[in-house]
Amino acid sequence: MQLFEQPCPGEDPRPGGQIGEVELSSYTPPAGVPGKPAAPHFLPVLCSVSPSGSRVPHDLLGGSGGFTLEDALFGLLFGADATLLQSPVVLCGLPDGQLCCVILKALVTSRSAPGDPNALVKILHHLEEPVIFIGALKTEPQAAEAAENFLPDEDVHCDCLVAFGHHGRMLAIKASWDESGKLVPELREYCLPGPVLCAACGGGGRVYHSTPSDLCVVDLSRGSTPLGPEQPEEGPGGLPPMLCPASLNICSVVSLSASPRTHEGGTKLLALSAKGRLMTCSLDLDSEMPGPARMTTESA
């Protein structure tokens, strides 16, 4: 990973001088057994994360697949240095299953002082399968409802980080209160149908993921508890103990994007199928309406 200065408007559009570099160690599986189909080739997944007080423009984050985390979760994940520096962090999901991060402002000029990977790269988790998606969303009931009403150019502070593995393992991380009233990171792994082709985070605490046979949605907001120690009877943690995927009856979606809640009260998905068909799907997943499992392919 190399860090360059961004040229100012009107200057040479080529990247400026390199100001940092660090190497991420990753295990590359063998090419495969002769005579058998080759194993799928996976590329690293990258995204940028910023604290709520960062001055990074929202359109820059949104255009590059980045997002903003609430300060509590940001500090628990990336430490005091990233919080004090108000530094963007690059999350890296590697083909060997590592989910690691690099604090951009901590990178030093590699020519004068080569960066020590042990100091600059922090491993957050290991999914033990190729990471194919990293995202974030709002899960608190009131916060999720407010996030759905945000305008596209407004900044949304997410309270939950999610990562998907190729074989269906999903990681969710959230800031929660333990029994002693201390703020701690809560990590939960879920086993969902796979192999996962793509995924997207939507409004209302929902996460969509695609397999060769179906497009599913899970709800991370159910069972969430408010972020505060004043309600210890709710118990530690705020993530549901298990997830029940609901089918949307759409298969072989290889790329997916979820838009905020529409004026009509539903959610819109933009999906690209393996056969090259671009589809817009309008969904209404409110509890008062029929569940998503009843939606037919034609109505979607």
Side-chain angles (χ1 to χ4, degrees):
M1 179 182 296
Q2 295 174 322
L3 181 64
F4 295 86
E5 286 190 80
Q6 182 179 1
C8 297
E11 295 182 357
D12 190 342
R14 292 177 297 181
Q18 180 176 325
I19 57 177
E21 180 176 354
V22 68
E23 184 173 348
L24 285 68
S25 62
S26 175
Y27 167 74
T28 303
V33 180
K36 291 187 178 182
H41 179 66
F42 298 96
L43 297 176
V45 180
L46 301 177
C47 67
S48 175
V49 185
S50 290
S52 59
S54 173
R55 297 181 180 178
V56 178
H58 174 67
D59 55 351
L60 178 61
L61 279 177
S64 60
F67 44 82
T68 302
L69 288 181
E70 288 186 347
D71 290 338
L73 180 59
F74 187 90
L76 289 172
L77 287 177
F78 310 124
D81 289 345
T83 304
L84 292 175
L85 291 172
Q86 289 289 294
S87 171
V89 175
V90 173
L91 281 175
C92 315
L94 302 180
D96 64 353
Q98 291 185 74
L99 179 63
C100 52
C101 65
V102 177
I103 302 173
L104 289 187
K105 288 187 179 180
L107 286 181
V108 296
T109 304
S110 58
R111 294 182 185 138
S112 59
D116 179 11
N118 295 325
L120 296 176
V121 181
K122 177 182 178 182
I123 299 177
L124 299 177
H125 195 73
H126 206 302
L127 278 176
E128 299 181 355
E129 58 188 62
V131 180
I132 57 100
F133 173 78
I134 303 173
L137 69 161
K138 279 279 192 183
T139 61
E140 300 295 343
Q142 295 179 352
E145 183 179 350
E148 291 176 349
N149 298 323
F150 268 66
L151 297 174
D153 58 345
E154 289 186 275
D155 203 355
V156 177
H157 300 164
C158 302
D159 60 17
C160 183
L161 179 72
V162 297
F164 263 99
H166 174 66
H167 300 298
R169 184 173 294 180
M170 188 186 91
L171 170 71
I173 309 177
K174 188 178 178 182
S176 300
W177 299 93
D178 63 9
E179 296 177 351
S180 63
K182 183 181 179 181
L183 195 62
V184 295
E186 180 191 6
L187 287 80
R188 282 190 184 268
E189 280 193 1
Y190 303 96
C191 291
L192 301 177
V196 178
L197 302 178
C198 62
C201 294
R206 299 183 180 98
V207 181
Y208 305 85
H209 75 281
S210 171
T211 70
S213 60
D214 208 349
L215 178 62
C216 302
V217 57
V218 294
D219 191 351
L220 283 173
S221 66
R222 295 176 185 175
S224 294
T225 57
L227 185 63
E230 62 275 3
Q231 295 180 334
E233 68 276 6
E234 300 261 356
L239 291 169
M242 62 179 297
L243 297 177
C244 298
S247 170
L248 299 179
N249 295 325
I250 306 173
C251 64
S252 298
V253 172
V254 295
S255 187
L256 185 65
S257 175
S259 69
R261 179 175 287 270
T262 62
H263 295 293
E264 294 79 12
T267 299
K268 279 197 172 183
L269 300 179
L270 186 63
L272 179 66
S273 73
K275 294 183 179 180
R277 177 178 295 177
L278 187 63
M279 301 173 286
T280 56
C281 313
S282 299
L283 309 173
D284 193 337
L285 303 179
D286 290 335
S287 57
E288 297 82 3
M289 302 297 291
R294 301 182 185 180
M295 176 172 285
T296 63
T297 305
E298 290 77 13
S299 62

